Amino acid sequence: AQSVTQLGSHVSVSEGALVLLRCNYSSSVPPYLFWYVQYPNQGLQLLLKYTSAATLVKGINGFEAEFKKSETSFHLTKPSAHMSDAAEYFCAVSEQKGNTPLVFGKGTRLSVIA
Amino acid sequence: DARVTQTPRHKVTEMGQEVTMRCQPILGHNTVFWYRQTMMQGLELLAYFRNRAPLDDSGMPKDRFSAEMPDATLATLKIQPSEPRDSAVYFCASGGTGSRGNTIYFGEGSWLTVV
């Protein structure tokens, strides 16, 4: 069985500050890991994914995440927050097979303060 | 730009009515997922198909929900009869094979309100 825990349902940062959204996973098999972003009234857009190649993964919009097996973590970071980053962020895990279902965390709402 | 298309985008219906949501996966994708999003439960998998065959529908209330893929370009999710607790956003997603294997693309969702 797989599961994801996102620490903090709401994170607030100042514009220009570091963004850190935490994700810990549990998986009985080697995982693939994903971060998706959801803007209001829209679907989910893939930010980045870990598929067992490089442990540091770079995504769109300046985000990156590092897979740490020893800590079972896949935290999302961005050096400098923009107002446009305000959204809901979801971490997800799947098995290392083609197109198996994603198991999502509860999400973290990011607010960016001017 | 290839995308997953869902209809309707918004639906308000009365309790007891039948609701049908439709999804056109990205052309060439062989795996289709239905997820439901609510404030309380977050994103839950309802069902998924591969090559039009249902692989898992254990997340779906069997008495009132049904999911089908009449052909490779259409997936449907039906609720009959609908209840207020079915109010949620229903997402369809699809995934293909090849160099982008295991990336799952989501539609914009169908916002359902049952009154």
Side-chain angles (χ1 to χ4, degrees), chain B:
Chain B
D1 190 23
R3 61 181 65 187
V4 176
T5 303
Q6 291 187 245
T7 57
R9 286 296 317 278
H10 300 275
K11 175 78 173 179
V12 179
T13 191
E14 293 185 346
M15 183 173 62
Q17 296 297 306
E18 177 178 301
V19 176
T20 299
M21 289 167 275
R22 293 176 174 82
C23 169
Q24 181 176 6
I26 292 173
L27 188 64
H29 281 190
N30 67 341
T31 309
V32 175
F33 305 86
W34 283 104
Y35 283 87
R36 176 171 63 183
Q37 184 179 34
T38 61
M39 290 291 291
M40 293 298 295
Q41 301 298 326
L43 282 153
E44 307 171 280
L45 178 70
L46 294 177
Y48 82 106
F49 296 77
R50 180 159 297 137
N51 298 321
R52 296 177 56 200
L55 291 189
D56 185 357
D57 62 1
S58 59
M60 221 162 53
K62 298 294 191 301
D63 56 338
R64 299 183 300 106
F65 284 60
S66 61
E68 296 180 343
M69 279 201 75
D71 61 59
T73 64
L74 177 64
T76 63
L77 179 66
K78 192 171 296 185
I79 307 174
Q80 167 63 22
S82 58
E83 297 181 1
R85 59 179 167 154
D86 301 329
S87 297
V89 185
Y90 292 82
F91 287 106
C92 177
S94 71
T97 57
S99 61
R100 293 190 175 188
N102 224 70
T103 295
I104 295 172
Y105 296 88
F106 283 76
E108 295 288 287
S110 290
W111 264 250
L112 175 66
T113 302
V114 183
V115 298

Side-chain angles (χ1 to χ4, degrees), chain A residues 4 7 31 41 61 78 92:
Chain A
V4 169
L7 296 174
N41 300 318
N61 301 338
K78 182 174 180 177

